[in-house]
Amino acid sequence: MYKSLKDFVEKLERADELIRIGTPVSSELEIAEITDRMVKTEGGGKALLFENTDKEFPVLTNLYGSERRMAMALGVEHLTDISARLDSLIGTVTSPKESLVDKLRMLPLLGEASQWFPRKRKGRGECQQVVLEGDEAKLSLLPILKCWPHDGGRFVTLPMVHTIDPDNGIRNVGMYRMQIFDDHTTGLHWHRHKTGARHYEAYKRRGERMPVAVAIGGDPAYAFSATAPVPDNIDEYLLTGLLRGKAVQLVKCITNDIYVPEDCDFVIEGYVDTAEDKVLEGDFGDHTGFYSLTDYYPKFHVTAITHRKDAVYPATIVGIPPQEDAYIAMATERIFLAPIRLVMQPEVEDMFMPSAGTQHNITIISMRQLYERQASKVALGLWGAGQMMFNKYLVLTPASTNVRSAEELASLLRNCDLNTSLIRSEGIYDVLDHATAKCGYGGKIALDLTNVAPKEAAPSFDGTTLPSGIEVNYELLKEWSTVILYADNDEPINREEIAKAASCNFVVLFDTRAKGLTANELLWLFAANTEPTRDISLVEGALVIDARAKRPGATKQNPARWPNIVTADEQTIALVDRRWDEYGIGEKVESPSLHYRRLQLSEGAEWK
């Protein structure tokens, strides 16, 4: 689809979706702060090409950071075009073929599908126009970003990490951040649930060194496929081939036997010595909006770095939503809706993961209901399927619902009967979830809103009965049947007392620092800071929710550690303010961090 990342850059520029910045900029904090301001403008702003960095190569950020650019990256006009194409494809494949003519009509499709499979080619690719091996292969040559002030160092944030299953030879391409330790070693942050971690354990059992190759750049569809929830043992480059309509061309690495896309911009080759102890990695300002704190992960050793002569270094910034990953999630919704219907839950009509849920925390589903309590079957099925196992809050609505309409959802939530709508379970969490006491495991809640009838009584809340020290915000009461309360983090609360004051469905308690946040920001904070088993109680028909930060170790149910939110430091904000006119971006945009710093619990990445 695109000959190179540079080809995509040129298309973005022709579409007025790119800003070139020729002013000298630093890859340490400055680029990230500029990008954070841009991505949080309406619609995601524009992609940014920093042409004059402190290294040899330009840096591209926010390349996926709008619905339009995400569609352009995948070669379509609108993201809905992808789901329509997949629905048609699956319908053609699965429909009955009763006659010879019907079967013959399948032949062109089979011919097209044969073009999707990745192909190996001999010789070197464009990604190997420059080859650096051994001591010459220095990571310090690349403009790898440090994004946030309490990050443990610089991180590669858009790596396509290639590993091979030693038992069956099947390739996996995953996106696992890489912290730079020195010129020749990094961390590899693959979580316990990821395929890369499974491959690592397989090599460790064999007592063998694990080859790894990291591709960066190239056709933007590559990086998307590396993030996609492709089933285990299915090649991510098959998905890329389907999206592009042609096969990915692969070439062999210089110092190991892994094959990578021949047209990517950089390749970092190396290995993990499975006999080595894991090393401390982090902290890192993550897509949850909080720092993911230090933990132990494998060490990657660099044996070679290869790159194109005209290489562009792509990077993404993650932090408090919305960020670029929100638009990647939009594409994921569209692409994987059809397989969900086919394989897992045919009742599902549509799916929406709002950016406030940082991908996994909140999902809204519309579904066809054919029998009573079918929503319970759908919820439990989704929680056991692929990366949906990480979901914490699931909302199930009638098939006619526009899941992206706040008004329609508000009406359902305002009128639901929580005594009959609530579905509770427990299961797997993303290990980045900081609210649960047991890493990677916690409670889940689904709301069955498929049979909601209008209520006659208006929601109300009697704040006069509350003890002193609790403030009441009624702004969401009428529309959402929700009352917001504010109290200090350590203020004890009586959930029964709060519920008695409520003739509404939801009462959510936040720390006083959250005053002044928008409804969408409060939704993000609620989803991030709660574990349903500990923090949510159904009392007298109302859900009472404690969305405050949980002091580490204060009770057995509290996490042992609690991260701070991710914001820029004062020096970086002041630097970018002072230099704004030099960048040529347009009217000055205030730093989002100034708005969010009120939520900081202490200095540093961790609440001490």
Side-chain angles (χ1 to χ4, degrees), residues 179-218:
Q179 181 179 345
I180 308 304
F181 296 142
D182 55 41
D183 262 342
H184 304 291
T185 62
T186 80
L188 269 176
H189 187 95
W190 46 48
H191 297 165
R192 65 185 71 169
H193 307 113
K194 301 298 184 180
T195 308
R198 182 173 64 78
H199 289 179
Y200 168 82
E201 293 299 333
Y203 280 98
K204 190 174 182 65
R205 286 193 299 272
R206 289 167 167 249
E208 296 177 4
R209 180 181 284 184
M210 177 181 182
V212 179
V214 181
I216 302 171

mmCIF file of all heavy atoms in Angstrom, residues 179-218:
data_model
loop_
_atom_site.group_PDB
_atom_site.id
_atom_site.type_symbol
_atom_site.label_atom_id
_atom_site.label_comp_id
_atom_site.label_asym_id
_atom_site.label_seq_id
_atom_site.Cartn_x
_atom_site.Cartn_y
_atom_site.Cartn_z
ATOM 1 N N GLN A 179 12.926 -0.355 27.086
ATOM 2 C CA GLN A 179 13.694 0.666 27.790
ATOM 3 C C GLN A 179 15.170 0.524 27.443
ATOM 4 O O GLN A 179 15.743 -0.562 27.512
ATOM 5 C CB GLN A 179 13.517 0.545 29.301
ATOM 6 C CG GLN A 179 14.295 1.610 30.078
ATOM 7 C CD GLN A 179 14.113 1.503 31.573
ATOM 8 O OE1 GLN A 179 13.219 0.826 32.050
ATOM 9 N NE2 GLN A 179 14.972 2.177 32.326
ATOM 10 N N ILE A 180 15.793 1.641 27.074
ATOM 11 C CA ILE A 180 17.216 1.629 26.731
ATOM 12 C C ILE A 180 18.041 1.645 28.013
ATOM 13 O O ILE A 180 17.936 2.571 28.824
ATOM 14 C CB ILE A 180 17.580 2.850 25.859
ATOM 15 C CG1 ILE A 180 16.641 2.946 24.652
ATOM 16 C CG2 ILE A 180 19.032 2.775 25.424
ATOM 17 C CD1 ILE A 180 16.591 1.716 23.786
ATOM 18 N N PHE A 181 18.864 0.611 28.206
ATOM 19 C CA PHE A 181 19.763 0.561 29.363
ATOM 20 C C PHE A 181 21.130 1.158 29.016
ATOM 21 O O PHE A 181 21.723 1.887 29.796
ATOM 22 C CB PHE A 181 19.928 -0.875 29.849
ATOM 23 C CG PHE A 181 18.654 -1.492 30.367
ATOM 24 C CD1 PHE A 181 18.376 -2.818 30.125
ATOM 25 C CD2 PHE A 181 17.735 -0.748 31.087
ATOM 26 C CE1 PHE A 181 17.218 -3.402 30.605
ATOM 27 C CE2 PHE A 181 16.568 -1.320 31.578
ATOM 28 C CZ PHE A 181 16.310 -2.653 31.332
ATOM 29 N N ASP A 182 21.640 0.800 27.849
ATOM 30 C CA ASP A 182 22.912 1.347 27.361
ATOM 31 C C ASP A 182 22.928 1.166 25.847
ATOM 32 O O ASP A 182 21.899 0.858 25.252
ATOM 33 C CB ASP A 182 24.110 0.667 28.039
ATOM 34 C CG ASP A 182 24.109 -0.850 27.901
ATOM 35 O OD1 ASP A 182 23.785 -1.353 26.793
ATOM 36 O OD2 ASP A 182 24.433 -1.546 28.869
ATOM 37 N N ASP A 183 24.079 1.361 25.226
ATOM 38 C CA ASP A 183 24.149 1.303 23.766
ATOM 39 C C ASP A 183 23.762 -0.054 23.180
ATOM 40 O O ASP A 183 23.386 -0.144 22.004
ATOM 41 C CB ASP A 183 25.554 1.668 23.288
ATOM 42 C CG ASP A 183 25.655 3.127 22.860
ATOM 43 O OD1 ASP A 183 24.606 3.743 22.607
ATOM 44 O OD2 ASP A 183 26.794 3.641 22.786
ATOM 45 N N HIS A 184 23.838 -1.112 23.990
ATOM 46 C CA HIS A 184 23.677 -2.453 23.417
ATOM 47 C C HIS A 184 22.664 -3.324 24.159
ATOM 48 O O HIS A 184 22.535 -4.505 23.814
ATOM 49 C CB HIS A 184 25.034 -3.160 23.383
ATOM 50 C CG HIS A 184 26.088 -2.395 22.633
ATOM 51 N ND1 HIS A 184 26.062 -2.222 21.257
ATOM 52 C CD2 HIS A 184 27.189 -1.724 23.063
ATOM 53 C CE1 HIS A 184 27.096 -1.495 20.879
ATOM 54 N NE2 HIS A 184 27.791 -1.177 21.951
ATOM 55 N N THR A 185 21.943 -2.784 25.137
ATOM 56 C CA THR A 185 20.944 -3.598 25.834
ATOM 57 C C THR A 185 19.690 -2.778 26.125
ATOM 58 O O THR A 185 19.748 -1.562 26.318
ATOM 59 C CB THR A 185 21.470 -4.167 27.169
ATOM 60 O OG1 THR A 185 21.805 -3.093 28.057
ATOM 61 C CG2 THR A 185 22.680 -5.057 26.956
ATOM 62 N N THR A 186 18.558 -3.478 26.163
ATOM 63 C CA THR A 186 17.270 -2.868 26.511
ATOM 64 C C THR A 186 16.472 -3.853 27.360
ATOM 65 O O THR A 186 16.816 -5.035 27.456
ATOM 66 C CB THR A 186 16.424 -2.541 25.254
ATOM 67 O OG1 THR A 186 15.783 -3.740 24.784
ATOM 68 C CG2 THR A 186 17.258 -1.948 24.139
ATOM 69 N N GLY A 187 15.394 -3.388 27.918
ATOM 70 C CA GLY A 187 14.394 -4.285 28.496
ATOM 71 C C GLY A 187 13.408 -4.702 27.425
ATOM 72 O O GLY A 187 13.283 -4.063 26.381
ATOM 73 N N LEU A 188 12.692 -5.786 27.667
ATOM 74 C CA LEU A 188 11.594 -6.220 26.791
ATOM 75 C C LEU A 188 10.370 -6.433 27.667
ATOM 76 O O LEU A 188 10.281 -7.421 28.411
ATOM 77 C CB LEU A 188 11.960 -7.500 26.045
ATOM 78 C CG LEU A 188 12.628 -7.321 24.685
ATOM 79 C CD1 LEU A 188 13.036 -8.662 24.107
ATOM 80 C CD2 LEU A 188 11.714 -6.594 23.708
ATOM 81 N N HIS A 189 9.428 -5.506 27.570
ATOM 82 C CA HIS A 189 8.295 -5.465 28.497
ATOM 83 C C HIS A 189 7.119 -6.257 27.931
ATOM 84 O O HIS A 189 6.107 -5.692 27.515
ATOM 85 C CB HIS A 189 7.903 -4.002 28.737
ATOM 86 C CG HIS A 189 6.861 -3.817 29.789
ATOM 87 N ND1 HIS A 189 7.168 -3.534 31.108
ATOM 88 C CD2 HIS A 189 5.513 -3.857 29.741
ATOM 89 C CE1 HIS A 189 6.054 -3.402 31.804
ATOM 90 N NE2 HIS A 189 5.030 -3.596 30.988
ATOM 91 N N TRP A 190 7.269 -7.578 27.890
ATOM 92 C CA TRP A 190 6.095 -8.365 27.486
ATOM 93 C C TRP A 190 5.438 -8.940 28.725
ATOM 94 O O TRP A 190 6.053 -9.511 29.602
ATOM 95 C CB TRP A 190 6.441 -9.464 26.484
ATOM 96 C CG TRP A 190 7.650 -10.298 26.778
ATOM 97 C CD1 TRP A 190 7.990 -10.910 27.947
ATOM 98 C CD2 TRP A 190 8.688 -10.628 25.830
ATOM 99 N NE1 TRP A 190 9.164 -11.594 27.810
ATOM 100 C CE2 TRP A 190 9.608 -11.450 26.521
ATOM 101 C CE3 TRP A 190 8.908 -10.337 24.492
ATOM 102 C CZ2 TRP A 190 10.742 -11.972 25.906
ATOM 103 C CZ3 TRP A 190 10.030 -10.853 23.877
ATOM 104 C CH2 TRP A 190 10.931 -11.656 24.581
ATOM 105 N N HIS A 191 4.110 -8.749 28.801
ATOM 106 C CA HIS A 191 3.357 -9.188 29.960
ATOM 107 C C HIS A 191 3.179 -10.704 29.953
ATOM 108 O O HIS A 191 3.298 -11.354 28.903
ATOM 109 C CB HIS A 191 1.990 -8.504 29.985
ATOM 110 C CG HIS A 191 2.087 -7.024 30.111
ATOM 111 N ND1 HIS A 191 1.038 -6.176 29.850
ATOM 112 C CD2 HIS A 191 3.114 -6.219 30.463
ATOM 113 C CE1 HIS A 191 1.410 -4.933 30.032
ATOM 114 N NE2 HIS A 191 2.673 -4.931 30.405
ATOM 115 N N ARG A 192 2.842 -11.235 31.081
ATOM 116 C CA ARG A 192 2.739 -12.686 31.244
ATOM 117 C C ARG A 192 1.704 -13.311 30.299
ATOM 118 O O ARG A 192 1.803 -14.490 29.971
ATOM 119 C CB ARG A 192 2.359 -13.016 32.689
ATOM 120 C CG ARG A 192 0.971 -12.517 33.083
ATOM 121 C CD ARG A 192 0.655 -12.749 34.540
ATOM 122 N NE ARG A 192 1.425 -11.881 35.397
ATOM 123 C CZ ARG A 192 1.186 -11.730 36.702
ATOM 124 N NH1 ARG A 192 0.199 -12.394 37.276
ATOM 125 N NH2 ARG A 192 1.915 -10.923 37.432
ATOM 126 N N HIS A 193 0.711 -12.512 29.868
ATOM 127 C CA HIS A 193 -0.344 -13.054 29.013
ATOM 128 C C HIS A 193 0.013 -12.981 27.529
ATOM 129 O O HIS A 193 -0.764 -13.448 26.693
ATOM 130 C CB HIS A 193 -1.652 -12.281 29.235
ATOM 131 C CG HIS A 193 -2.070 -12.191 30.660
ATOM 132 N ND1 HIS A 193 -2.095 -11.003 31.356
ATOM 133 C CD2 HIS A 193 -2.458 -13.146 31.532
ATOM 134 C CE1 HIS A 193 -2.499 -11.232 32.595
ATOM 135 N NE2 HIS A 193 -2.728 -12.516 32.724
ATOM 136 N N LYS A 194 1.130 -12.387 27.181
ATOM 137 C CA LYS A 194 1.450 -12.122 25.782
ATOM 138 C C LYS A 194 2.232 -13.283 25.151
ATOM 139 O O LYS A 194 2.932 -14.042 25.823
ATOM 140 C CB LYS A 194 2.273 -10.832 25.667
ATOM 141 C CG LYS A 194 1.566 -9.591 26.221
ATOM 142 C CD LYS A 194 0.281 -9.274 25.482
ATOM 143 C CE LYS A 194 -0.341 -7.986 25.976
ATOM 144 N NZ LYS A 194 -1.585 -7.646 25.273
ATOM 145 N N THR A 195 2.139 -13.365 23.830
ATOM 146 C CA THR A 195 2.787 -14.462 23.110
ATOM 147 C C THR A 195 4.303 -14.402 23.237
ATOM 148 O O THR A 195 4.970 -15.438 23.336
ATOM 149 C CB THR A 195 2.384 -14.440 21.630
ATOM 150 O OG1 THR A 195 0.956 -14.402 21.539
ATOM 151 C CG2 THR A 195 2.902 -15.663 20.905
ATOM 152 N N GLY A 196 4.871 -13.178 23.233
ATOM 153 C CA GLY A 196 6.313 -13.057 23.401
ATOM 154 C C GLY A 196 6.787 -13.693 24.693
ATOM 155 O O GLY A 196 7.842 -14.350 24.729
ATOM 156 N N ALA A 197 6.019 -13.517 25.774
ATOM 157 C CA ALA A 197 6.381 -14.119 27.057
ATOM 158 C C ALA A 197 6.295 -15.642 26.984
ATOM 159 O O ALA A 197 7.119 -16.356 27.577
ATOM 160 C CB ALA A 197 5.463 -13.583 28.153
ATOM 161 N N ARG A 198 5.303 -16.147 26.256
ATOM 162 C CA ARG A 198 5.180 -17.603 26.106
ATOM 163 C C ARG A 198 6.368 -18.165 25.332
ATOM 164 O O ARG A 198 6.918 -19.216 25.689
ATOM 165 C CB ARG A 198 3.872 -17.943 25.402
ATOM 166 C CG ARG A 198 3.637 -19.433 25.253
ATOM 167 C CD ARG A 198 2.262 -19.742 24.698
ATOM 168 N NE ARG A 198 2.072 -19.234 23.352
ATOM 169 C CZ ARG A 198 2.562 -19.804 22.256
ATOM 170 N NH1 ARG A 198 3.330 -20.885 22.351
ATOM 171 N NH2 ARG A 198 2.321 -19.292 21.063
ATOM 172 N N HIS A 199 6.776 -17.468 24.281
ATOM 173 C CA HIS A 199 7.958 -17.913 23.527
ATOM 174 C C HIS A 199 9.205 -17.909 24.418
ATOM 175 O O HIS A 199 10.027 -18.834 24.359
ATOM 176 C CB HIS A 199 8.188 -16.997 22.326
ATOM 177 C CG HIS A 199 7.162 -17.173 21.240
ATOM 178 N ND1 HIS A 199 7.181 -16.435 20.084
ATOM 179 C CD2 HIS A 199 6.090 -18.005 21.139
ATOM 180 C CE1 HIS A 199 6.164 -16.807 19.315
ATOM 181 N NE2 HIS A 199 5.489 -17.750 19.937
ATOM 182 N N TYR A 200 9.336 -16.855 25.233
ATOM 183 C CA TYR A 200 10.484 -16.762 26.137
ATOM 184 C C TYR A 200 10.543 -17.976 27.072
ATOM 185 O O TYR A 200 11.618 -18.578 27.265
ATOM 186 C CB TYR A 200 10.385 -15.467 26.946
ATOM 187 C CG TYR A 200 11.339 -15.359 28.107
ATOM 188 C CD1 TYR A 200 12.658 -14.949 27.920
ATOM 189 C CD2 TYR A 200 10.930 -15.669 29.405
ATOM 190 C CE1 TYR A 200 13.540 -14.851 28.990
ATOM 191 C CE2 TYR A 200 11.793 -15.567 30.481
ATOM 192 C CZ TYR A 200 13.098 -15.160 30.269
ATOM 193 O OH TYR A 200 13.960 -15.070 31.329
ATOM 194 N N GLU A 201 9.408 -18.351 27.634
ATOM 195 C CA GLU A 201 9.377 -19.495 28.554
ATOM 196 C C GLU A 201 9.724 -20.786 27.825
ATOM 197 O O GLU A 201 10.363 -21.681 28.397
ATOM 198 C CB GLU A 201 7.998 -19.604 29.213
ATOM 199 C CG GLU A 201 7.656 -18.448 30.153
ATOM 200 C CD GLU A 201 8.612 -18.330 31.328
ATOM 201 O OE1 GLU A 201 9.195 -19.379 31.730
ATOM 202 O OE2 GLU A 201 8.780 -17.220 31.863
ATOM 203 N N ALA A 202 9.315 -20.897 26.551
ATOM 204 C CA ALA A 202 9.641 -22.098 25.781
ATOM 205 C C ALA A 202 11.156 -22.217 25.554
ATOM 206 O O ALA A 202 11.740 -23.301 25.690
ATOM 207 C CB ALA A 202 8.900 -22.084 24.454
ATOM 208 N N TYR A 203 11.800 -21.086 25.209
ATOM 209 C CA TYR A 203 13.259 -21.116 25.046
ATOM 210 C C TYR A 203 13.947 -21.405 26.379
ATOM 211 O O TYR A 203 14.980 -22.107 26.423
ATOM 212 C CB TYR A 203 13.756 -19.794 24.477
ATOM 213 C CG TYR A 203 13.573 -19.653 22.984
ATOM 214 C CD1 TYR A 203 12.489 -18.956 22.464
ATOM 215 C CD2 TYR A 203 14.499 -20.205 22.092
ATOM 216 C CE1 TYR A 203 12.318 -18.820 21.090
ATOM 217 C CE2 TYR A 203 14.337 -20.081 20.719
ATOM 218 C CZ TYR A 203 13.238 -19.381 20.228
ATOM 219 O OH TYR A 203 13.072 -19.246 18.870
ATOM 220 N N LYS A 204 13.402 -20.859 27.442
ATOM 221 C CA LYS A 204 14.007 -21.063 28.763
ATOM 222 C C LYS A 204 13.952 -22.545 29.154
ATOM 223 O O LYS A 204 14.921 -23.093 29.696
ATOM 224 C CB LYS A 204 13.284 -20.201 29.806
ATOM 225 C CG LYS A 204 13.975 -20.138 31.158
ATOM 226 C CD LYS A 204 13.269 -19.158 32.083
ATOM 227 C CE LYS A 204 13.971 -19.038 33.417
ATOM 228 N NZ LYS A 204 15.316 -18.455 33.298
ATOM 229 N N ARG A 205 12.841 -23.210 28.870
ATOM 230 C CA ARG A 205 12.733 -24.638 29.169
ATOM 231 C C ARG A 205 13.757 -25.445 28.381
ATOM 232 O O ARG A 205 14.285 -26.447 28.862
ATOM 233 C CB ARG A 205 11.319 -25.143 28.843
ATOM 234 C CG ARG A 205 10.254 -24.705 29.830
ATOM 235 C CD ARG A 205 8.973 -25.497 29.620
ATOM 236 N NE ARG A 205 8.410 -25.317 28.293
ATOM 237 C CZ ARG A 205 7.549 -24.343 27.966
ATOM 238 N NH1 ARG A 205 7.179 -23.469 28.891
ATOM 239 N NH2 ARG A 205 7.073 -24.265 26.746
ATOM 240 N N ARG A 206 14.037 -24.987 27.169
ATOM 241 C CA ARG A 206 15.015 -25.676 26.334
ATOM 242 C C ARG A 206 16.454 -25.340 26.709
ATOM 243 O O ARG A 206 17.391 -25.966 26.219
ATOM 244 C CB ARG A 206 14.808 -25.275 24.861
ATOM 245 C CG ARG A 206 13.554 -25.834 24.211
ATOM 246 C CD ARG A 206 13.275 -25.129 22.895
ATOM 247 N NE ARG A 206 12.288 -25.820 22.093
ATOM 248 C CZ ARG A 206 12.536 -26.450 20.942
ATOM 249 N NH1 ARG A 206 13.766 -26.467 20.448
ATOM 250 N NH2 ARG A 206 11.575 -27.043 20.277
ATOM 251 N N GLY A 207 16.617 -24.300 27.527
ATOM 252 C CA GLY A 207 17.953 -23.853 27.859
ATOM 253 C C GLY A 207 18.654 -23.183 26.701
ATOM 254 O O GLY A 207 19.885 -23.253 26.577
ATOM 255 N N GLU A 208 17.875 -22.504 25.832
ATOM 256 C CA GLU A 208 18.424 -21.912 24.624
ATOM 257 C C GLU A 208 18.315 -20.391 24.640
ATOM 258 O O GLU A 208 17.423 -19.823 25.279
ATOM 259 C CB GLU A 208 17.670 -22.444 23.392
ATOM 260 C CG GLU A 208 17.828 -23.934 23.163
ATOM 261 C CD GLU A 208 17.009 -24.415 21.978
ATOM 262 O OE1 GLU A 208 16.386 -23.566 21.300
ATOM 263 O OE2 GLU A 208 16.981 -25.644 21.747
ATOM 264 N N ARG A 209 19.209 -19.764 23.931
ATOM 265 C CA ARG A 209 19.152 -18.321 23.703
ATOM 266 C C ARG A 209 17.999 -18.025 22.732
ATOM 267 O O ARG A 209 17.792 -18.763 21.768
ATOM 268 C CB ARG A 209 20.489 -17.855 23.130
ATOM 269 C CG ARG A 209 20.576 -16.387 22.847
ATOM 270 C CD ARG A 209 21.942 -16.030 22.265
ATOM 271 N NE ARG A 209 22.984 -16.009 23.283
ATOM 272 C CZ ARG A 209 24.242 -15.656 23.057
ATOM 273 N NH1 ARG A 209 24.629 -15.319 21.827
ATOM 274 N NH2 ARG A 209 25.125 -15.643 24.039
ATOM 275 N N MET A 210 17.287 -16.937 22.960
ATOM 276 C CA MET A 210 16.096 -16.604 22.175
ATOM 277 C C MET A 210 16.409 -15.499 21.175
ATOM 278 O O MET A 210 16.715 -14.375 21.564
ATOM 279 C CB MET A 210 14.981 -16.144 23.115
ATOM 280 C CG MET A 210 13.712 -15.700 22.432
ATOM 281 S SD MET A 210 12.501 -15.168 23.688
ATOM 282 C CE MET A 210 11.098 -14.760 22.643
ATOM 283 N N PRO A 211 16.343 -15.779 19.870
ATOM 284 C CA PRO A 211 16.572 -14.714 18.891
ATOM 285 C C PRO A 211 15.376 -13.757 18.846
ATOM 286 O O PRO A 211 14.228 -14.172 18.972
ATOM 287 C CB PRO A 211 16.717 -15.478 17.574
ATOM 288 C CG PRO A 211 15.965 -16.752 17.785
ATOM 289 C CD PRO A 211 16.090 -17.078 19.241
ATOM 290 N N VAL A 212 15.678 -12.484 18.664
ATOM 291 C CA VAL A 212 14.649 -11.441 18.607
ATOM 292 C C VAL A 212 15.047 -10.436 17.534
ATOM 293 O O VAL A 212 16.230 -10.113 17.383
ATOM 294 C CB VAL A 212 14.504 -10.711 19.969
ATOM 295 C CG1 VAL A 212 13.455 -9.606 19.877
ATOM 296 C CG2 VAL A 212 14.138 -11.684 21.088
ATOM 297 N N ALA A 213 14.073 -9.952 16.788
ATOM 298 C CA ALA A 213 14.309 -8.862 15.836
ATOM 299 C C ALA A 213 13.211 -7.816 16.031
ATOM 300 O O ALA A 213 12.034 -8.162 16.137
ATOM 301 C CB ALA A 213 14.317 -9.369 14.404
ATOM 302 N N VAL A 214 13.611 -6.555 16.062
ATOM 303 C CA VAL A 214 12.680 -5.462 16.305
ATOM 304 C C VAL A 214 12.654 -4.568 15.073
ATOM 305 O O VAL A 214 13.659 -3.932 14.732
ATOM 306 C CB VAL A 214 13.091 -4.644 17.544
ATOM 307 C CG1 VAL A 214 12.095 -3.515 17.786
ATOM 308 C CG2 VAL A 214 13.208 -5.552 18.769
ATOM 309 N N ALA A 215 11.522 -4.520 14.389
ATOM 310 C CA ALA A 215 11.359 -3.643 13.234
ATOM 311 C C ALA A 215 10.658 -2.365 13.670
ATOM 312 O O ALA A 215 9.789 -2.387 14.545
ATOM 313 C CB ALA A 215 10.555 -4.345 12.140
ATOM 314 N N ILE A 216 11.051 -1.253 13.065
ATOM 315 C CA ILE A 216 10.464 0.049 13.387
ATOM 316 C C ILE A 216 10.161 0.762 12.068
ATOM 317 O O ILE A 216 11.018 0.835 11.179
ATOM 318 C CB ILE A 216 11.419 0.902 14.241
ATOM 319 C CG1 ILE A 216 11.780 0.178 15.540
ATOM 320 C CG2 ILE A 216 10.797 2.266 14.555
ATOM 321 C CD1 ILE A 216 12.890 0.848 16.331
ATOM 322 N N GLY A 217 8.947 1.277 11.939
ATOM 323 C CA GLY A 217 8.588 2.037 10.746
ATOM 324 C C GLY A 217 8.098 1.159 9.621
ATOM 325 O O GLY A 217 7.604 0.043 9.809
ATOM 326 N N GLY A 218 8.230 1.650 8.383
ATOM 327 C CA GLY A 218 7.671 0.962 7.231
ATOM 328 C C GLY A 218 6.202 1.306 7.049
ATOM 329 O O GLY A 218 5.694 2.293 7.603
#
